């Protein structure tokens, strides 16, 4: 499934949250900005096309196809949010300074279907996959990336059949990894050689944020609980079977104690139980 997606949406998959330099702390004034910014968020629109292409070119090392940008600005199978600074002078108060794009996909068709506890009989259950996230250099460290991700989470939570938000991060992008961890995303898988950039392969981490009751099929705590429960059940069963073993007395006038002869069927069950545990 993963390889199919990589081929079908190659221009979307391969630069997710790449060189963002994200390190969101608080909404403070960046020394590179000569005014106090007033950050607002809105949907991306067709008039953003040129700026969106330029920021992607500046932020990501991979070239995107024009079809991707057209899908984003026209809202064709892609949902998006833009960050703008209403305090910018010279008529730039509505120009993009950050963005996030995402796609809604069916849970059963996703690459994390095996890592998600959901009702497989319901074919309408969905996920939100974050495609790209970027903030222009002068506006980083102002909490913009965090706010954009929160918009995605809020959107996903508003869809009753949505179970999670997920994304990929290149393995050495520590600021982005820190950001998603801080926002309670779960790192659930490492994908070796997921990215191919300038002829070199890089690993990717898969992060998931569960919504609307979605969760992994079995958390580590649940797994330990199941193992302990099975071990206790197996030991109790073994003790009970030993107590119920047949008692055979020897012939003659010998006064030796009884000889325990295990039941063959019991022995088979115990072995199976031990193998299972």
């Amino acid at each position: 499934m993963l390889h199919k997606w990589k081929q079908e949406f190659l221009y979307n998959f391969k630069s997710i949250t790449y060189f963002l330099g994200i390190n969101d702390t608080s909404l403070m004034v960046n020394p590179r900005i000569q005014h106090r910014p007033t950050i607002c968020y809105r949907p991306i629109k067709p008039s953003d096309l040129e700026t969106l292409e330029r920021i992607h070119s500046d932020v990501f090392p991979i070239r995107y196809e024009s079809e991707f940008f057209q899908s984003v600005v026209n809202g064709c199978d892609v949902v998006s949010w833009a960050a703008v600074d209403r305090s910018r002078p010279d008529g730039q108060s509505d120009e993009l300074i950050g963005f996030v794009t995402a796609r809604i996909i069916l849970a059963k068709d996703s690459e994390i279907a095996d890592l998600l506890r959901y009702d497989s009989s319901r074919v309408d259950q969905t996920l939100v996959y974050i495609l790209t996230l970027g903030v222009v250099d002068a506006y980083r460290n102002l909490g913009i990336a965090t706010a954009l991700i929160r918009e995605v989470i809020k959107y996903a939570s508003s869809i009753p059949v949505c179970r999670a938000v997920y994304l990929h991060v290149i393995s050495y992008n520590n600021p982005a990894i820190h950001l998603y961890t801080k926002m309670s995303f779960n790192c659930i898988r490492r994908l070796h050689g997921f990215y191919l950039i300038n002829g070199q392969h890089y690993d990717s981490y898969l992060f998931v944020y569960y919504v609307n009751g979605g969760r992994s099929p079995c958390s580590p705590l649940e797994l330990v609980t199941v193992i302990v429960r099975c071990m206790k059940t197996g030991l109790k069963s073994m003790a009970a079977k030993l107590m119920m073993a047949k008692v055979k007395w020897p012939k003659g006038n010998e006064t030796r104690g009884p000889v325990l002869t295990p039941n063959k069927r019991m022995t088979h069950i115990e072995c199976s139980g031990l193998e299972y545990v």
Side-chain angles (χ1 to χ4, degrees), residues 70-84:
Q70 290 295 332
S71 296
V72 173
V73 300
N74 292 300
C76 298
D77 298 323
V78 176
V79 290
S80 62
W81 291 263
V84 297

Side-chain angles (χ1 to χ4, degrees), residues 68-134:
F68 169 70
F69 297 109
Q70 290 295 332
S71 296
V72 173
V73 300
N74 292 300
C76 298
D77 298 323
V78 176
V79 290
S80 62
W81 291 263
V84 297
D85 179 5
R86 297 301 186 192
S87 301
R88 291 183 75 180
D90 304 324
Q92 297 179 318
S93 62
D94 197 47
E95 185 173 306
L96 295 187
I97 58 172
F99 59 84
V100 62
T101 66
R103 183 191 300 275
I104 300 175
I105 62 174
L106 292 174
K108 66 181 182 65
D109 295 332
S110 75
E111 64 188 282
I112 66 168
D114 61 322
L115 301 172
L116 184 69
R117 179 180 293 180
Y118 71 100
D119 186 354
S120 58
S121 65
R122 294 188 56 183
V123 297
D124 62 336
Q125 296 196 347
T126 62
L127 307 170
V128 172
Y129 177 71
I130 295 180
L131 299 169
T132 59
L133 169 67

Side-chain angles (χ1 to χ4, degrees), residues 216-237:
S216 62
C218 189
S219 68
L221 178 59
E222 290 174 324
L223 184 59
V224 171
T225 302
V226 170
I227 293 175
V228 171
R229 186 182 299 123
C230 290
M231 291 179 66
K232 287 183 177 179
T233 302
L235 291 174
K236 288 180 180 178
S237 176

